[in-house]
Amino acid sequence: MTEFPLSGFEPGSPADLASLPTLTSAQSTLAAEIAGLSALQGALAPSEALGAAFAEAVACIACGRGHVVVSGIGKSGHIGRKIQATLASTGTPAFFVHPAEAAHGDLGMIDTNDVILLISQSGETSELAALLEHAARHALPVIGMTASTGSTLAKASTIVLPLPRAPEACPMGLAPTTSTIMQLALGDALAIALLERRGFTANDFGAFHPGGKLGALLRPVAKLMHTGDSLPLGTPDMTLSSVIIEMTRKAFGCIGILDEGGILIGLISDGDLRPALDRDLTTTCAREIMNHAPITTRGDMLAQEVIHLMTARRKAINSLFVLDDEGRPAGIIHLHDLLRTGIA
């Protein structure tokens, strides 16, 4: 095993890391890539070639009836896979075709309604030839993302997204760094522009991301709430002794007070009940101590919105009634229900 001398540096020691050449290198890399992104942002102005082509590409994809077929080789291929994944997760059907596999049968995956997005910094990637020939044969629109407007890819593309020239962060100018960051950023911009054009919502996003913390955040509260006999409910004339029994049985720390039509007109929480315990519990009624304007939510409200509603106050709300369109309790959600989903 090779040992690397650390010249007096010991893990955990209070060494002056800011003086290490490594950090200077890292800052230079980021500076070069930031400069590239700045150039890209400027090139997206309406008066610039990229700006006009970008708007045309968004319209082409949005009006299409098929998928966006993304392809590229090497580093551009890795970026292409991420762009494809972002498109698909934000409402634009897309899949990635490896250019080498395309020539060995994967061209059959491409439909006559699809749009092809090809990525190549030089625009002279020979592996893309089969895809370009297939697109020409079937009159499929090709969007070419390249830094060379005179390249083979640019000449064969229906729409060219010309990336501005910017120095690579690599000191030798060889390793794709700045260029791939720009490709990735332009792909993100394309996906978000399409998302906004389609009116893609947080609920739609949640439907495509049902797993993990993100899925929990985007889950409608209707899928997490307690319903039916679990709800702690009472009437305005209910005595405090009965209120205490119902609150204890249901264990949500509150009780919803309904009118004769089943509409929620008030709420009694633990905090409302404690100051009233010195009253006669058998004669004092719920209407006398209830909160007449309780905070509530709707079933279509997302979990991330509900947890903010419950915790953004000076005193957090532990339980929240979920009402239907007419104001009747459809369910109740406890703060612990949200936390158990992995939101926080």
Side-chain angles (χ1 to χ4, degrees):
M1 177 177 177
T2 304
E3 294 186 1
F4 297 92
L6 296 180
S7 302
F9 174 76
E10 296 180 4
S13 67
D16 184 8
L17 296 180
S19 66
L20 295 177
T22 302
L23 296 187
T24 302
S25 172
Q27 291 171 343
S28 296
T29 298
L30 293 179
E33 294 183 346
I34 289 169
L37 290 175
S38 180
L40 180 64
Q41 183 180 29
L44 279 167
S47 58
E48 299 291 333
L50 177 58
F54 183 86
E56 189 178 356
V58 170
C60 176
I61 294 172
C63 294
R65 294 178 295 166
H67 294 74
V68 177
V69 181
V70 185
S71 190
I73 199 75
K75 305 300 185 295
S76 294
H78 293 305
I79 296 299
R81 288 185 183 276
K82 194 278 178 183
I83 293 173
Q84 172 271 317
T86 302
L87 287 169
S89 71
T90 52
T92 300
F95 61 89
F96 183 86
V97 172
H98 193 285
E101 298 295 340
H104 293 274
D106 280 2
L107 289 174
M109 300 167 62
I110 304 173
D111 186 72
T112 54
N113 293 316
D114 291 339
V115 176
I116 299 178
L117 172 61
L118 301 181
I119 307 170
S120 170
Q121 180 70 3
S122 69
E124 298 297 344
T125 304
S126 60
E127 289 87 350
L128 298 179
L131 285 159
L132 288 172
E133 291 172 6
H134 183 81
R137 188 180 308 117
H138 296 280
L140 302 179
V142 174
I143 300 171
M145 186 186 296
T146 179
S148 178
T149 54
S151 64
T152 301
L153 174 58
K155 292 175 182 177
S157 296
T158 312
I159 302 169
V160 180
L161 297 177
L163 292 165
R165 293 281 186 177
E168 299 287 6
C170 169
M172 297 174 290
L174 300 175
T177 45
T178 306
S179 60
T180 50
I181 285 290
M182 293 166 68
Q183 291 172 351
L184 181 61
L186 189 59
D188 285 343
L190 192 64
I192 299 305
L194 286 163
L195 175 154
E196 293 175 345
R197 178 167 176 146
R198 296 180 190 277
F200 195 77
T201 67
N203 280 325
D204 298 323
F205 197 83
F208 292 156
H209 299 78
K213 182 175 181 178
L214 183 58
L217 285 168
L218 298 173
R219 195 172 303 162
V221 72
K223 294 187 177 181
L224 301 171
M225 67 186 185
H226 301 267
T227 60
D229 292 338
S230 299
L231 274 61
L233 300 172
T235 65
D237 297 325
M238 177 184 285
T239 64
L240 291 193
S241 59
S242 298
V243 165
I244 293 171
I245 292 172
E246 178 70 358
M247 288 175 64
T248 303
R249 285 178 55 236
K250 303 300 175 65
F252 283 99
C254 68
I255 181 171
I257 306 301
L258 311 181
D259 66 11
E260 293 180 355
I263 305 298
L264 185 77
I265 59 171
L267 180 138
I268 300 173
S269 67
D270 286 334
D272 300 317
L273 185 61
R274 288 191 201 98
L277 291 178
D278 58 351
R279 301 190 188 189
D280 188 334
L281 302 183
T282 62
T283 59
T284 305
C285 295
R287 72 171 75 249
E288 299 178 46
I289 70 165
M290 71 183 186
N291 175 0
H292 292 267
I295 303 297
T296 60
T297 186
R298 307 179 313 276
D300 61 351
M301 200 168 184
L302 301 181
Q304 63 176 351
E305 299 172 315
V306 173
I307 198 167
H308 176 75
L309 182 64
M310 298 175 78
T311 60
R313 287 167 168 72
R314 185 174 61 181
K315 185 177 181 181
I317 300 171
N318 290 325
S319 294
L320 206 60
F321 274 98
V322 182
L323 305 184
D324 63 18
D325 293 338
E326 297 179 352
R328 295 185 177 88
I332 189 170
I333 188 78
H334 194 281
L335 185 59
H336 290 166
D337 299 322
L338 296 168
L339 296 177
R340 276 194 291 268
T341 66
I343 290 176

